[in-house]
């Protein structure tokens, strides 16, 4: 198995923020980006905890909800899951 460093996982959070914030991507790209974000939030051990803390500090939850609202049911469903992870 490969271990993901927290710096790589945190970079995913940054990239998803850029993709979501620019407003230039279609629904499929937004959903895939949100899924990637959810995946790094669920990484085992300290890495996932660090990423979750960073996401909370950067108010990623509100960004996720805002972006998902304009990109269909799947984006909203993924957003709901991300919010659940962030609140746990």
């Amino acid at each position: 198995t490969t271990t993901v460093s927290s710096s790589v996982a945190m970079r995913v959070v940054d990239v998803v923020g850029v993709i979501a914030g620019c407003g230039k991507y279609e629904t499929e790209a937004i959903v895939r980006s949100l899924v990637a974000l959810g995946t790094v939030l669920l990484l085992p051990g300290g890495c996932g905890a660090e990423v979750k803390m960073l996401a909370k500090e950067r108010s990623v939850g509100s960004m996720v909800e805002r972006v998902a609202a304009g990109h269909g049911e799947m984006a909203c469903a993924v957003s709901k899951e991300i919010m659940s992870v962030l609140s746990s």
Side-chain angles (χ1 to χ4, degrees):
T1 63
T2 303
T3 304
V4 176
S5 73
S6 42
S7 64
V8 171
M10 289 180 194
R11 184 72 183 129
V12 171
V13 174
D14 292 338
V15 171
V16 170
V18 169
I19 289 170
C22 76
K24 295 182 180 181
Y25 290 90
E26 295 181 7
T27 297
E28 184 176 346
I30 294 297
V31 170
R32 288 175 186 245
S33 297
L34 293 176
V35 168
L37 175 61
T39 301
V40 297
L41 289 172
L42 292 171
L43 288 171
C47 182
E50 282 184 59
V51 173
K52 194 186 300 187
M53 185 176 67
L54 173 75
K56 288 178 181 180
E57 287 172 3
R58 294 187 180 176
S59 302
V60 166
S62 60
M63 179 268 303
V64 164
E65 289 181 319
R66 178 181 44 79
V67 169
H71 287 91
E73 290 180 29
M74 182 62 81
C76 288
V78 175
S79 168
K80 205 179 229 184
E81 290 295 322
I82 290 171
M83 295 306 294
S84 174
V85 170
L86 288 174
S87 67
S88 64

